[in-house]
Amino acid sequence: MELIRTEVSRHFQYVTLSHRWGTGEPSLHDIEGQKIYSLPAIGGLGKLQGFCAVACGWDYLWAWSDTCCIDKHSSAEVQETIGSMFAWYQQSALTIVYLSDVPDTGSLGRSEWFRRGWTLQELLAPRTVLFYTQNWSLYMNLTSSNHKTHVAVLAELERETGIESQFLHDFSPGMDNARSRLQWASSRRTTRPEDIAYSLFGIFNLHLPVLYGESAENALARLLAEIVSQSGDISVLDWVGEPSPFHSCFPAHITSY
């Protein structure tokens, strides 16, 4: 029975993609019922095909990409996805980080991936991560099966993100070191302003309503109020900058950390 359980579990292991969104990203409706490799390899479709090929190369049968594995026309599914995204990356067998703006001889730090809001949890959540450059080559041609355990890569990640290696290697969602977690996100940006708060829900292990259309100040203040309410940690009130219209105890922008 244990052997059966192990084999079934191995069969359903999956790989997740972390990347910076670009133009022409395929949606669920674009690929539904289609054979991925029969579609034109342009824009986001080419990236999706490259990701699937890498996943197959590592002998995985299942691959998940946020561009086309979510029905974005369903508000209920979007709400569930944002609440579950951290866990999905955490439970993946492998996360492929595709750095479309890093050439084979480039360095991690030049990538915009490190300055986007959603990619913070995509860095912290998975236990196993491999970085790939724009030509789908392993970063620095490293043959390590997990770049999170490679000393040189870990040092580079720590330098670029300001996150201590202990958290990069073994991160637990929750409200410990709450102010530090806000600082990690303080230099990052999202396309939709309110997403800068929503992208932190999983990192703090919070389940709050996603209210697209609200102001970024309101979304951030709701997050901070919940952190203080649940943890009693008032260190998040230590900030410098413009006060929030939601409540003057909170900052208007995450850059205040």
Side-chain angles (χ1 to χ4, degrees):
M1 182 61 72
E2 184 61 32
L3 178 60
I4 293 174
R5 185 179 294 110
T6 300
E7 287 302 313
V8 169
S9 176
R10 183 181 296 116
H11 177 81
F12 286 105
Q13 286 182 326
Y14 62 94
V15 182
T16 48
L17 173 66
S18 178
H19 62 114
R20 184 188 176 197
W21 281 48
T23 57
E25 298 288 358
S27 69
L28 172 65
H29 298 290
D30 291 329
I31 68 162
E32 202 166 20
Q34 302 285 336
K35 293 181 178 179
I36 295 297
Y37 297 110
S38 66
L39 298 171
I42 56 174
L45 279 169
K47 176 167 56 177
L48 182 63
Q49 291 169 352
F51 165 56
C52 290
V54 168
C56 286
W58 284 99
D59 293 327
Y60 292 102
L61 300 176
W62 305 93
W64 185 92
S65 169
D66 57 355
T67 57
C68 58
C69 294
I70 304 167
D71 184 358
K72 299 177 185 67
H73 295 293
S74 168
S75 58
E77 186 163 335
V78 170
Q79 172 82 47
E80 180 183 358
T81 296
I82 290 176
S84 305
M85 189 85 75
F86 187 95
W88 291 348
Y89 277 93
Q90 188 177 49
Q91 293 164 12
S92 67
L94 169 64
T95 291
I96 298 297
V97 177
Y98 177 58
L99 306 176
S100 61
D101 51 356
V102 175
D104 291 348
T105 57
S107 62
L108 290 178
R110 65 169 288 169
S111 179
E112 278 296 311
W113 185 86
F114 286 96
R115 285 166 274 284
R116 305 304 298 170
W118 286 105
T119 57
L120 178 59
Q121 70 172 358
E122 294 165 15
L123 171 65
L124 294 170
R127 294 176 176 84
T128 304
V129 169
L130 290 174
F131 289 93
Y132 280 80
T133 59
Q134 60 188 199
N135 293 321
W136 289 103
S137 299
L138 278 166
Y139 180 60
M140 294 173 61
N141 292 316
L142 296 172
T143 56
S144 168
S145 61
N146 184 7
H147 287 163
K148 272 194 169 186
T149 61
H150 191 281
V151 174
V153 177
L154 201 56
E156 194 170 356
L157 291 174
E158 187 172 6
R159 183 171 62 252
E160 294 300 333
T161 62
I163 303 173
E164 295 176 29
S165 59
Q166 67 193 70
F167 297 111
L168 290 167
H169 184 249
D170 186 18
F171 180 80
S172 297
M175 282 171 274
D176 293 341
N177 306 296
R179 191 172 183 278
S180 293
R181 297 181 187 214
L182 293 165
Q183 286 178 317
W184 299 341
S186 63
S187 61
R188 292 172 177 259
R189 300 291 180 271
T190 53
T191 302
R192 297 192 66 150
E194 59 268 48
D195 271 340
I196 199 62
Y198 303 160
S199 66
L200 296 174
F201 286 1
I203 287 172
F204 286 102
N205 196 25
L206 290 173
H207 297 275
L208 297 171
V210 174
L211 307 173
Y212 278 116
E214 70 173 328
S215 67
E217 295 89 345
N218 194 77
L220 178 60
R222 285 197 298 117
L223 171 66
L224 296 175
E226 193 67 17
I227 292 171
V228 173
S229 174
Q230 289 199 26
S231 70
D233 185 353
I234 61 172
S235 70
V236 301
L237 305 180
D238 180 11
W239 52 272
V240 177
E242 179 187 349
S244 171
F246 182 92
H247 196 292
S248 60
C249 286
F250 301 133
H253 311 289
I254 200 160
T255 52
S256 292
Y257 291 103

